Amino acid sequence: MSGTVIATHGLRKAYGAVRAVDGIDLDVRAGDIYGFLGANGSGKTTTVRMLLGLVLPTAGTVEVLGRPIPKAAREVLPGVGALIEGPAAYGPLSGTANLSLLDAAGPGGSRRTRKARIAEVLEQVGLGGGGKRAVRGYSLGMRQRLGLAGALLRRPDLLVLDEPTNGLDPQGIHEIRLLLLDLHRTGTTIFVSSHLLAEIEQLATRVGVLDRGRMVLQDDLATLTAPTGATVVTTTDPAQAARVLGDRVLTSDGERLVVRGSDPAEVNTALVGAGVPVTGLVLQRPTLEEVVLAAATGSGDRVAA
Amino acid sequence: MIAVELRKLFRRPRTWITIALLNSLPVLVAVLLKVTDLAPRPGEGPAFLSAVLTNGTLFPLAALAIVLPLFLPIAVAVVAGDSVAGEAQGGTLRYLLARPAGRTRLLVAKLVAIVVFVLVTVVIVAAVGYVVGTALFEVQSLGATTAVSGTSLTPEQVAGRTLLSIGYVTISMLGVAAFAMFFSTLTDSPQLATLGALAVLIGSSLLFTLDAASDIAPYLPTRYWLSFVDFFRDPIQWRNVARGLGLQAVYVVVLLGAAWANFTTKDITS
Ligand SMILES: Nc1ncnc2c1ncn2[C@@H]1O[C@H](COP(=O)(O)OP(=O)(O)O)[C@@H](O)[C@H]1O
Ligand SMILES: [Mg+2]
């Protein structure tokens, strides 16, 4: 698999007067962990639903794995695993029975291998012992894991996960992150939406930021958080350091100075040579949060008067 | 896909509870008749009931006539109303369609499951009726059963015509199922879909009793439900049965067409 895995052009969805998604051009490539970031209500779930043919776009096109959606949904979607706005299952049935029904409900899930695949994915998501129990008795975290198991059942080339860590505790979030990184290593492309910056920052190789239905940013994480050309110095004698470096000091804040120059070693030499004690020295990189705040304008939930 | 829907429907405790409840009324009626020995006079009460004291083999038909006006349509409306809206409310609809199950396939599979449910339910009502009827009441082993029109029917004729009745009642219920299924594609609330279908039936039954509505009476969905009685005239009177079948066919085709048109083009936002 190579090239573009998800491509949308001018994708728009209007619910009456509300523009839930307003002309976005997604570009997700094979091998990406694409972090789809946006505040609550910014249009992430609506986008995911359009990728899966559940919601029909008001305008624009969707291509997944090189084929148009919803037209080629029957050929494409068996190779896509999805979590959409939280898990769902039949409460009276066991986790195993739920997975079995889901697998049988569409094309591309061989009956012969079904049992083995179910056992394998339950193990993979950490539900190995819980498969026999009725889903009614599951915690939210267990349901989320079961949903993820359903997404993995056919070893998909592409995972589309809408807020996959909702309802999980920190330990569970960590486990899921490791699982996704593992799947990524074995060649799965992952599209994951979240309203949590930190989560995306720890996981994604590529980031798209949605702000009230509009895409305000889309780039590789490494590019977005590339060094700014400045060095951050921490010292116990900031006054002396400022005198030594003169107008190279861009900003100072207590013991922390931001200094022009992309070579920390050179800055260090200058300071130490003048007898200034240096306790910390690092290349300045913007955090994803800074990049996103600079691009976005506010919380999607906020309703203007 | 059809197997999946059947598994879901028949693995659900609710399905069997519904069927059990449905059978409780005819059984209660049979016990009361047995204890009191007071059958309704011919022409009064549910069809066939007047005759069961002297011929228990007619009790399957009495049982059908007992559940037909209310219990059976409620059961069908509950199951069919739940078909799509229940999955929407539970959130499983989006996963089925993203699987992808295919919207038309899913609808067809749901329809087949409902038809099977109706048939199974009607057959169980008739079977329980037969067991209860022959256990509690006299069975005329040699003699002939008196047809509604007064002549005699052999036991083989009674059996054959009972099967015809089972088929006819099943088809009559498909109209109810079509209403409920159509409503089920319109809303994400299974209760609302069921109530909608029941409202149609109650409205239809009410209009049927109204002289002012006599012009539209032939088109009311409940109009020919009880026409299976005509299988027990000698000879069988096909006219109303045929009209009943035609009417149900029109309702089923139109409503399922509407359900399909709606479901295949709507946004799944549940
Ligand atoms: N079915 C719907 N009808 C009307 N408005 C909707 C519907 N679904 C979503 N919206 C609106 O679209 C916007 C985006 O919603 P959503 O895609 O769920 O955002 P997110 O997943 O990022 O939280 C919100 O303003 C929401 O109120
Ligand atoms: Mg969402």
Side-chain angles (χ1 to χ4, degrees):
Chain A
M1 200 174 53
S2 66
T4 301
V5 172
I6 299 175
T8 72
H9 296 288
L11 188 62
R12 183 196 321 267
K13 181 68 195 183
Y15 290 114
V18 179
R19 291 188 167 189
V21 173
D22 197 1
I24 69 173
D25 302 301
L26 277 177
D27 174 22
V28 180
R29 296 161 196 173
D32 279 351
I33 299 183
Y34 187 102
F36 194 44
L37 198 55
N40 285 324
S42 58
K44 302 182 297 295
T45 299
T46 303
T47 305
V48 164
R49 285 178 187 273
M50 287 194 281
L51 296 181
L52 299 169
L54 297 174
V55 161
L56 308 173
T58 306
T61 60
V62 178
E63 269 184 32
V64 174
L65 297 169
R67 307 286 307 278
I69 296 287
K71 199 157 178 274
R74 194 164 178 80
E75 293 83 60
V76 174
L77 294 185
V80 179
L83 257 184
I84 315 140
E85 195 156 51
Y90 305 104
L93 302 183
S94 70
T96 308
N98 266 284
L99 292 179
S100 174
L101 283 175
L102 185 66
D103 200 50
S110 158
R111 190 186 185 140
R112 202 169 39 78
T113 60
R114 187 168 295 151
K115 251 182 123 165
R117 282 184 289 124
I118 289 173
E120 194 185 346
V121 290
L122 283 175
E123 198 61 49
Q124 215 172 356
V125 300
L127 273 184
K132 297 257 178 307
R133 282 169 50 192
V135 171
R136 209 182 357 229
Y138 279 22
S139 67
L140 183 54
M142 290 173 76
R143 284 167 198 251
Q144 194 75 21
R145 287 167 193 260
L146 182 65
L148 204 55
L152 298 177
L153 205 46
R154 278 166 308 284
R155 303 270 152 253
D157 297 325
L158 170 65
L159 278 175
V160 175
L161 308 175
D162 188 21
E163 313 246 12
T165 56
N166 261 1
L168 293 176
D169 50 30
Q171 179 63 31
I173 293 176
H174 180 68
E175 283 176 37
I176 296 303
R177 188 189 309 134
L178 293 184
L179 171 61
L180 294 184
L181 289 171
D182 206 37
L183 290 165
H184 177 242
R185 256 192 301 281
T186 56
T188 311
T189 303
I190 302 173
F191 178 94
V192 51
S193 88
S194 176
H195 65 280
L196 299 174
L197 250 151
E199 192 169 295
I200 294 297
E201 192 162 27
Q202 289 178 54
L203 195 62
T205 60
R206 197 168 153 76
V207 178
V209 178
L210 208 53
D211 178 37
R212 299 179 211 198
R214 287 175 193 274
M215 189 93 119
V216 291
L217 198 67
Q218 174 169 247
D219 214 332
D220 288 344
L221 184 65
T223 312
L224 291 173
T225 57
T228 56
T231 300
V232 181
V233 179
T234 323
T235 168
T236 52
D237 191 354
Q240 179 63 14
R243 267 193 295 282
V244 172
L245 295 168
D247 62 2
R248 287 181 64 188
V249 177
L250 300 171
T251 61
S252 69
D253 172 20
E255 296 193 339
R256 191 170 167 278
L257 285 76
V258 178
V259 179
R260 189 171 342 105
S262 54
D263 182 4
E266 175 266 326
V267 176
N268 191 33
T269 312
L271 288 172
V272 172
V276 179
V278 174
T279 55
L281 199 63
V282 68
L283 261 179
Q284 190 194 38
R285 289 174 183 274
T287 62
L288 184 58
E289 181 172 12
E290 287 162 348
V291 176
V292 168
L293 287 179
T297 49
S299 173
D301 283 338
R302 199 154 50 209
V303 179
Chain B
M1 194 63 223
I2 288 170
V4 169
E5 288 305 321
L6 287 173
R7 268 161 78 192
K8 279 196 298 215
L9 188 58
F10 286 103
R11 274 166 84 161
R12 215 177 153 156
R14 201 188 72 180
T15 305
W16 295 107
I17 293 170
T18 305
I19 293 176
L21 285 176
L22 197 62
N23 277 291
S24 63
L25 185 62
V27 171
L28 178 66
V29 168
V31 170
L32 287 176
L33 284 188
K34 176 69 181 175
V35 171
T36 65
D37 224 17
L38 288 175
R41 275 188 293 271
E44 284 178 14
F48 298 102
L49 210 51
S50 56
V52 298
L53 279 185
T54 52
N55 188 355
T57 57
L58 283 179
F59 197 70
L61 297 154
L64 286 178
I66 288 168
V67 298
L68 191 60
L70 201 58
F71 272 41
L72 190 56
I74 288 178
V76 173
V78 166
V79 170
D82 188 66
S83 58
V84 179
E87 304 263 8
Q89 193 180 53
T92 44
L93 183 60
R94 60 177 182 269
Y95 285 103
L96 280 178
L97 293 183
R99 170 60 186 84
R103 296 191 187 201
T104 304
R105 278 166 202 260
L106 183 63
L107 213 54
V108 169
K110 295 265 180 207
L111 178 66
V112 172
I114 290 168
V115 174
V116 172
F117 169 78
V118 174
L119 191 61
V120 165
T121 306
V122 172
V123 167
I124 289 179
V125 168
V128 170
Y130 183 81
V131 170
V132 171
T134 52
L136 293 186
F137 305 116
E138 282 176 44
V139 179
Q140 295 166 344
S141 48
L142 303 168
T145 302
T146 310
V148 179
S149 53
T151 54
S152 292
L153 298 176
T154 65
E156 291 74 34
Q157 277 178 315
V158 171
R161 294 177 185 207
T162 300
L163 286 181
L164 282 178
S165 302
I166 287 174
Y168 184 78
V169 169
T170 302
I171 289 171
S172 296
M173 287 302 111
L174 294 188
V176 185
F179 271 108
M181 232 180 144
F182 171 54
F183 293 146
S184 193
T185 64
L186 289 181
T187 167
D188 289 350
S189 157
Q191 293 82 6
L192 210 58
T194 299
L195 285 178
L198 291 180
V200 169
L201 297 183
I202 291 168
S204 166
S205 305
L206 183 117
L207 288 176
F208 187 44
T209 63
L210 215 62
D211 285 339
S214 58
D215 282 351
I216 56 169
Y219 309 106
L220 294 172
T222 58
R223 165 65 184 87
Y224 296 105
W225 277 10
L226 280 170
S227 296
F228 73 89
V229 176
D230 291 350
F231 288 126
F232 290 85
R233 300 185 199 284
D234 210 18
I236 296 177
Q237 291 185 7
W238 291 101
R239 209 183 68 154
N240 279 354
V241 169
R243 286 188 181 172
L245 292 179
L247 187 63
Q248 293 302 321
V250 171
Y251 273 113
V252 167
V253 166
V254 169
L255 288 167
L256 291 182
W260 177 82
N262 179 43
F263 186 59
T264 50
T265 54
K266 84 176 214 170
D267 287 334
I268 307 299
T269 55
S270 60

